[in-house]
Amino acid sequence: FWAHVTINELSRRELGERSIVATTIYNTFDPDPPLADHDRIRARLGQAPGSRLLLQPTRALPRKNIAGGLALAEAVGGTYWLLGPAEDGYGPELDRLVAGARCPVLLGSPDPGLTIAEAYAACDVVLLPSYWEGFGNPSVESATHRRPLAIGSYPVAAELSAFGFRWFDSAVPPPVSAWLDHPDEGLLDHNHAIAARYFNVEDLPGRISAVLERLAVRFG
């Protein structure tokens, strides 16, 4: 027999329509990742104090909506930072978008020793304007690293939002700009609590064990 596990309910339902039984186990994360020095890392990146740095911690692909991330950074007067490389022949399109950008742009990591925790610490807003993601790890990583998230309306985002996250729409800049003018720590506290409750890596062994126990009962 095959034991099917999906990382979202959408995929589980689609498999069910094909008479394939599956269980959803969402991606999990360390709710309290290593802390990093915001000001020190920004200085390493050449960011002036008080500037706005918007991080899109993804690769460059059509479904990642790079144009949407750039547009939001432009609208709020920030620097757009794309952490990952272009893939699948997307390089020329990325070059075209960057050439036409009306905001400063950082591509990749100017500091080769930079960790993902330091990248999150350096930014003011996390961007995930994607059209499609199977999960979209920054949706939860932004919460564990205590950064606000501006996210696209891909289908699984709605599924994750139902857990109670408070996110910004990446296509609507004014609320993002208002938050940057007057940061609300309560929003960060709320999202961190949601991530710790529902997406905690410490719970993963128990979730996997529960699936294996059900399989043992069914096929044992």
Side-chain angles (χ1 to χ4, degrees):
F1 66 90
W2 292 95
H4 296 276
V5 175
T6 65
I7 59 171
N8 61 63
E9 282 289 287
L10 176 64
S11 296
R12 186 191 63 77
R13 290 193 298 269
E14 289 176 344
L15 288 174
E17 292 169 359
R18 295 167 174 82
S19 299
I20 299 172
V21 177
T23 298
T24 299
I25 298 180
Y26 289 107
N27 291 352
T28 57
F29 306 83
D30 179 354
D32 296 299
L35 297 177
D37 189 311
H38 173 80
D39 294 334
R40 180 180 60 82
I41 299 164
R42 286 172 65 91
R44 284 163 54 189
L45 296 172
Q47 297 299 300
S51 63
R52 295 176 170 183
L53 182 60
L54 290 83
L55 170 68
Q56 184 162 343
T58 72
R59 299 164 292 159
L61 295 165
R63 65 183 175 85
K64 301 294 186 180
N65 189 17
I66 305 305
L70 280 165
L72 181 55
E74 292 170 355
V76 304
T79 294
Y80 174 76
W81 182 14
L82 176 66
L83 196 58
E87 295 183 359
D88 296 342
Y90 193 73
E93 177 64 9
L94 177 62
D95 291 342
R96 185 189 69 80
L97 290 171
V98 171
R102 294 173 294 172
C103 66
V105 175
L106 289 176
L107 295 178
S109 175
D111 182 339
L114 195 77
T115 67
I116 187 65
E118 290 174 327
Y120 277 111
C123 76
D124 299 294
V125 175
V126 177
L127 303 176
L128 190 63
S130 300
Y131 300 126
W132 174 261
E133 296 283 347
F135 187 90
N137 285 353
S139 61
V140 179
E141 288 176 338
S142 60
T144 63
H145 289 274
R146 301 184 60 82
R147 290 293 180 267
L149 176 69
I151 193 168
S153 57
Y154 64 91
V156 177
E159 181 179 325
L160 298 176
S161 176
F163 283 91
F165 288 112
R166 296 175 186 170
W167 293 331
F168 296 104
D169 186 334
S170 62
V172 184
V176 179
S177 187
W179 193 94
L180 288 166
D181 287 337
H182 303 286
D184 176 13
E185 289 293 322
L187 180 145
L188 304 182
D189 292 340
H190 173 85
N191 285 345
H192 180 270
I194 296 294
R197 180 176 179 181
Y198 295 109
F199 301 92
N200 194 325
V201 70
E202 293 184 358
D203 298 333
L204 183 59
R207 294 176 184 177
I208 293 175
S209 294
V211 171
L212 295 176
E213 288 171 5
R214 288 198 296 272
L215 287 172
V217 169
R218 181 175 181 183
F219 297 101

